Amino acid sequence: MTGETVGAISLVPPLLAIVLAIVTRKPVLSLFLGIWSGGVIYTTSHGVAQTLDWLVSSIGESTFNAKIMLIVLFLGAGVALIWRLGGANAIANSVTAYLDTPRKVGGATWIFGMLWFFDDYSNTAIVGTTMREISDEVRISREKLAYMIDSTAAPVATFGVSSWVAYQLSMIEEGYSAADVSVEAGEVPGAFALFLQSIPFNMYCLFAVAMVGIIVFTGRDFGEMLDAEHRSATEGKVLRDEAIPMQSAEDSLGAVLTDSPKLRYFAVPTLALMAVVVGGAAYTGLGASDPGAGPFEIAGNAAFVDALLWGTFTMVGVAFAMGVGSGLASLDEAMETVIDGFGMMLTALTILVMAWTIGTVTTALGTGVYVTNIAENFVTPTMLPVVVLIASAFIAFSTGTSWGTMAIVTPIAVPLAWSVGGATPELLPVAIGTVFSGAIFGDHCSPISDTTILSSTFTGADHIDHVRTQMYYATTVMIVAAVLLTVWGATRITPLVLLPIGVVTLVGLVYVLSEFDANRKDVEATRTVRVGSGSVSDDD
């Protein structure tokens, strides 16, 4: 059975998984039931054997998935070693005197997230682990921390020299091939040139990063995040009473091995990770490029996932050697910590495998093609940006994979933009930018997204609580992006004018929505942390 014959029923598996995950707060069970329903639809019988085959193929048939699983395990082991050797505590101790208010801690998290631009997985692991204890000190809720981490991971990675950009360039090439156009013939710009032109149209990602800064520096929240922050500020509960955090370093890994933590146990393994990732990307990029290639071509040809695999393994090796070599950890303690780090990631890995399998199900049933074919019926030059944006968002939300969404939509969006634009490249940048924007928005709102899962994991948040609280902010940003892209479609005003308007609009919306929600709930619109008989606020 194929997606061409399934039609609308192909939406059932992903939507069932998402609805159940949000309602029951049990993502693993919800994902499995979604996959199983896909097996039933695909085979028109009980579907159990097909379900198991899909699960096995997600684990064993994709070298890319296998590498991601190893990266996640190595990140868990590296973070575990850094934790037990006192590296995370040392970071917290070194900055606690300076980061003594929610605004300062949030601002540091925002900046740190933007600086760690070359990979979203390591971004969530390093920034989330580093800032968790510090944010707990000033009573920032785990939901708020997970939001800040999630919205400065994948969005930032879409602009820097990263695995995301390399993948995006390959998708542009796929789009060119589908449109039967050629760079050599001068019909279209090169892949990297088109990527640069698309950045101003990647409005969701740009506004998502800006929104974190707005939320942090105004000290205002709305929706369920306001409830979480009010609870944390007034009661000292960074998690709600019945929350099930994805992981807890203390519970999973045990106590820190030293009373005098040293910064080098964080800095050296982390710098080793960065050096190997950057060096590995450069090495693989040079090997795959022609002699005399420029830095952008080298970056486009780099194997970032391989480099990240080497880097995370190096981080584990360096931390392990430092701990044992210094006598801070015995060989047995170091090995136990590595295994505990692997174990800490089992929940995330389970959900990742399930999320990948849902992607396999939607591909088999033709969900993405079905949604995109419907969208094509409404496309005009004016509506192209918002149609591609919404189609990408829905597919990413339903499948939980932004990369999979790019793979599905880009080869359709590029030929569509070429045709609607009168066989000119005018609409190509906006098509590429809106594919990326929609894909990442869908990721941010989907409980089956890998990056959203990892954000919950490394911040120690309840996963569904993270999804529910983040959705208010992501949707607000998406609405502003969609409106401005529609304005661009109707007027062709340069996005360099529209982007500042969007940021100002977001500031106004944050003030209006926070005041409205605070009055409705009879709480303060701005955050004050009460400790004992005194108070600590962002204005102190």
Side-chain angles (χ1 to χ4, degrees), residues 70-71 73-75 77-78 81 272-273 276-277 306-320 342:
L70 282 176
I71 288 168
L73 288 173
F74 288 147
L75 282 171
L81 286 165
L273 166 66
V276 172
V277 170
D306 289 343
L308 188 60
L309 179 60
W310 304 335
T312 51
F313 177 78
T314 301
M315 177 176 67
V316 174
V318 168
F320 189 97
F342 290 163

Side-chain angles (χ1 to χ4, degrees), residues 379-391:
V379 174
T380 64
T382 298
M383 294 303 296
L384 175 74
V386 73
V387 167
V388 174
L389 180 75
I390 292 173

Side-chain angles (χ1 to χ4, degrees), residues 85 198 371:
L85 296 176
S198 74
V371 172

Side-chain angles (χ1 to χ4, degrees), residues 76-439:
V79 167
L81 286 165
I82 289 172
W83 165 265
R84 292 218 71 197
L85 296 176
N89 283 2
I91 282 283
N93 294 342
S94 65
V95 300
T96 296
Y98 305 99
L99 304 180
D100 54 358
T101 69
R103 180 179 292 138
K104 291 178 182 178
V105 173
T109 304
W110 183 52
I111 293 170
F112 199 1
M114 288 189 290
L115 291 176
W116 199 285
F117 57 82
F118 56 84
D119 180 76
D120 57 330
Y121 282 8
S122 59
N123 183 309
T124 56
I126 300 300
V127 183
T129 303
T130 302
M131 300 307 298
R132 185 178 60 220
E133 184 175 347
I134 304 169
S135 69
D136 284 354
E137 289 288 330
V138 295
R139 296 187 183 180
I140 292 176
S141 66
R142 292 286 178 84
E143 295 96 323
K144 182 73 163 286
L145 179 63
Y147 158 69
M148 293 188 291
I149 297 296
D150 205 357
S151 289
T152 53
V156 172
T158 61
F159 304 124
V161 178
S162 68
S163 55
W164 280 78
V165 173
Y167 183 73
Q168 289 168 335
L169 295 177
S170 70
M171 287 298 97
I172 291 173
E173 295 287 358
E174 290 290 330
Y176 281 171
S177 176
D180 194 24
V181 294
S182 169
V183 176
E184 290 74 16
E187 297 174 291
V188 290
F192 192 79
L194 182 59
F195 162 71
L196 291 178
Q197 294 170 21
S198 74
I199 290 176
F201 296 100
N202 190 355
M203 289 188 181
Y204 175 79
C205 292
L206 291 167
F207 290 152
V209 175
M211 184 69 160
V212 175
I214 293 167
I215 291 294
V216 166
F217 291 109
T218 61
R220 291 172 174 268
D221 291 287
F222 58 90
E224 293 188 41
M225 190 72 79
L226 177 62
D227 302 330
E229 283 293 277
H230 180 70
R231 177 203 70 225
S232 184
T234 58
E235 301 176 35
K237 297 177 180 178
V238 297
L239 290 161
R240 63 182 176 85
D241 288 336
E242 298 179 359
I244 304 174
M246 288 288 285
Q247 60 102 333
S248 167
E250 297 88 340
D251 294 340
S252 300
L253 307 174
V256 175
L257 294 172
T258 177
D259 294 327
S260 303
K262 305 296 185 210
L263 193 58
R264 62 177 176 269
Y265 291 109
F266 173 86
V268 176
T270 302
L271 290 174
L273 166 66
M274 295 178 65
V276 172
V277 170
V278 174
Y283 173 77
T284 56
L286 283 168
S289 302
D290 296 329
F296 294 132
E297 183 180 346
I298 293 170
N301 291 327
F304 278 95
V305 172
D306 289 343
L308 188 60
L309 179 60
W310 304 335
T312 51
F313 177 78
T314 301
M315 177 176 67
V316 174
V318 168
F320 189 97
M322 289 181 68
V324 175
S326 66
L328 190 57
S330 67
L331 185 61
D332 286 344
E333 287 174 325
M335 278 307 305
E336 287 175 5
T337 301
V338 170
I339 300 302
D340 287 343
F342 290 163
M344 187 172 65
M345 304 307 295
L346 286 181
T347 300
L349 278 178
T350 302
I351 299 176
L352 280 175
V353 170
M354 294 288 184
W356 289 331
T357 308
I358 274 284
T360 302
V361 173
T362 57
T363 299
L365 298 181
T367 306
V369 174
Y370 172 75
V371 172
T372 307
N373 286 342
I374 291 177
E376 286 180 356
N377 297 325
F378 303 95
V379 174
T380 64
T382 298
M383 294 303 296
L384 175 74
V386 73
V387 167
V388 174
L389 180 75
I390 292 173
S392 301
F394 184 78
I395 292 170
F397 179 77
S398 301
T399 62
T401 167
S402 50
W403 283 27
T405 299
M406 294 174 195
I408 292 168
V409 180
T410 305
I412 298 172
V414 170
L416 183 63
W418 178 258
S419 175
V420 171
T424 70
E426 179 189 10
L427 296 178
L428 295 181
V430 69
I432 296 299
T434 49
V435 168
F436 299 155
S437 279

